Amino acid sequence: MSFLSTDVFSSSLASHGWDSGWATAFAPYAAQGLLPGRVIRVDRGQCDVATAEGVIRADTAFVTPHDPLRVVCTGDWAAVDPEGVGDPRYVRACLPRRTAFARSTSSKRSEGQILAANVDHAVITVSLAVELDLGRIERFLALAWESGAQPTVVLSKADLVPDPVGLSYLVEDVETVAPGVQVLPVSSTTGEGIDVLAATVAGGTTVLLGASGAGKSTLANALVGEDVMDVQAARDVDGKGRHTTTTRNLFVLPGGGVLIDTPGLRGVGLWDAEAGVGQVFSEIEELAAECRFHDCAHESEPGCAVAAAIEEGSLSVRRLESYHKLIRENRRIVAKTDARLRSEMLKEWKRMGREGRTAMEIKRGGRGR
């Protein structure tokens, strides 16, 4: 059995994001003779791990918790068996994550699903081959901010909008729902914006997100500089494509940093993303702080600064409705795992029901009880 020094780890894994912080966190496992590595792909209970020995195949059976948010994920830093210890070798532990990109699943149990770990940049890819869905962009942004990553919105297939003025309007539309976020039109066909995006994501870990057919795999190939992902044409009618990418894969970028490509996401469910929603709708939350009542619902209350902003035209109705929708959805998700909040919501529903019945009785000429 051979053990590699920390210096060897640092030099061989630096391209995958290894740094002094990870080395410190890994020290207890190094003392046990385990080998550090970054998970570059996971499928069917096994994973590919980039180590100082090269890429190895390892089993995840020893670190398969009941919580789906704690399973081994692409981007994790793992402690694996050194060379010569068993076949297959095993992942014995994963280091605590600095960031994690998670969403709720579409199952009735509403479990969380981890999409990528230890991510610095989240590139939300939106195709210009179809009409912009601002609400969907807001969802992606909420999850990105909640993860701890810095989001960037890439408007792919920009060559399909040859009019510079028309393209600038589309960029402005997205900028209105993405405060504090870079919005970048990109074309893998012409190369427009690729160099700017490459510079933006250099030096960290980037995850590519978006719907199937948004052009993520083509963008991944452009950033990596070679055809590492298969590409299929999207349907003309709706811009959707088949799931070319079926697993999450991690690649080293030539300009520095690493890239995680993900399968197209049909559902973008929130998962305990209150802070992320607040970041996306920061202008609404700033206005809400000026409302007369601290628990203002921004509907018909007097002294509502949000309603005043809508009245004067500085805030759109669509934007407020989207905010309310995501807040309600997030509360439902959290309530399923938070008994106290679930009880509070039940009391609120009962109160609203009583008020509704009273209003109906008054309307019918009866007496409210």
Side-chain angles (χ1 to χ4, degrees):
M1 178 184 311
S2 63
F3 302 105
L4 301 177
S5 69
T6 301
D7 290 341
V8 173
F9 295 156
S10 298
S11 61
S12 61
L13 293 177
S15 62
H16 286 81
W18 183 263
D19 58 29
S20 59
W22 291 122
T24 300
F26 190 80
Y29 301 105
Q32 300 172 34
L34 295 174
L35 192 68
R38 192 154 198 196
V39 179
I40 61 176
R41 177 187 171 99
V42 180
D43 60 274
R44 299 180 181 179
Q46 293 192 320
C47 61
D48 293 335
V49 185
T51 73
E53 298 177 355
V55 177
I56 66 170
R57 190 73 168 164
D59 197 298
T60 64
F62 278 95
V63 285
T64 304
H66 295 297
D67 183 356
L69 292 175
R70 301 307 306 167
V71 299
V72 177
C73 178
T74 302
D76 273 326
W77 284 98
V80 300
D81 290 329
E83 185 178 10
V85 178
D87 184 20
R89 291 154 78 171
Y90 286 93
V91 173
R92 299 293 175 175
C94 285
L95 298 185
R97 294 163 177 158
R98 293 177 180 175
T99 62
F101 197 100
R103 66 162 180 172
S104 66
T105 65
S106 56
S107 67
K108 293 182 179 179
R109 291 179 294 178
S110 296
E111 294 177 334
Q113 179 189 27
I114 185 74
L115 297 178
N118 301 311
V119 172
D120 302 297
H121 310 283
V123 174
I124 300 164
T125 312
V126 180
S127 173
L128 289 179
V130 294
E131 185 177 354
L132 289 176
D133 185 341
L134 298 180
R136 188 178 182 85
I137 294 173
E138 288 164 340
R139 283 176 170 274
F140 272 114
L141 287 169
L143 292 178
W145 282 121
E146 190 68 32
S147 75
Q150 170 66 46
T152 296
V153 178
V154 163
L155 302 181
S156 66
K157 308 181 184 182
D159 54 288
L160 298 180
V161 187
D163 176 20
V165 176
L167 182 59
S168 68
Y169 286 150
L170 293 172
V171 171
E172 288 177 8
D173 286 344
V174 177
E175 287 176 338
T176 61
V177 303
V181 175
Q182 181 183 29
V183 179
L184 183 64
V186 166
S187 171
S188 299
T189 300
T190 66
E192 177 187 357
I194 295 295
D195 55 342
V196 178
L197 179 60
T200 299
V201 303
T205 296
T206 299
V207 61
L208 278 180
L209 303 159
S212 182
K216 297 190 310 304
S217 294
T218 302
L219 192 57
N221 290 339
L223 289 171
V224 176
E226 57 182 291
D227 291 340
V228 293
M229 302 300 299
D230 292 331
V231 177
Q232 295 177 351
R235 298 187 304 228
D236 290 336
V237 63
D238 55 10
K240 294 181 180 179
R242 286 177 288 176
H243 287 292
T244 305
T245 306
T246 56
T247 58
R248 298 167 192 92
N249 303 278
L250 185 149
F251 306 101
V252 175
L253 295 174
V258 297
L259 178 72
I260 299 175
D261 192 19
T262 63
L265 300 176
R266 291 192 179 93
V268 194
L270 301 185
W271 182 260
D272 197 3
E274 181 179 356
V277 173
Q279 185 79 25
V280 177
F281 298 92
S282 57
E283 82 279 27
I284 295 180
E285 300 223 329
E286 289 173 3
L287 286 168
E290 301 175 7
C291 290
R292 181 182 302 176
F293 304 108
H294 75 277
D295 59 347
C296 182
H298 319 307
E299 293 173 351
S300 58
E301 296 88 344
C304 176
V306 175
I310 289 179
E311 184 70 23
E312 68 182 22
S314 59
L315 178 67
S316 71
V317 173
R318 187 214 66 81
R319 183 83 166 146
L320 180 59
E321 289 176 345
S322 183
Y323 172 72
H324 281 314
K325 182 178 181 179
L326 294 187
I327 287 292
R328 287 193 300 266
E329 178 182 327
N330 193 68
R331 289 195 70 196
R332 286 196 298 269
I333 290 294
V334 174
K336 290 186 177 182
T337 56
D338 187 328
R340 180 187 59 79
L341 180 58
R342 190 163 58 245
S343 176
E344 290 178 357
M345 289 182 68
L346 182 59
K347 290 178 181 178
E348 177 67 10
W349 291 337
K350 288 181 178 179
R351 182 189 65 78
M352 293 174 64
R354 288 195 300 269
E355 291 178 354
R357 288 192 297 272
T358 299
M360 184 60 68
E361 289 175 357
I362 292 174
K363 185 175 181 180
R364 291 174 177 172
R367 294 183 178 178
R369 298 190 185 115

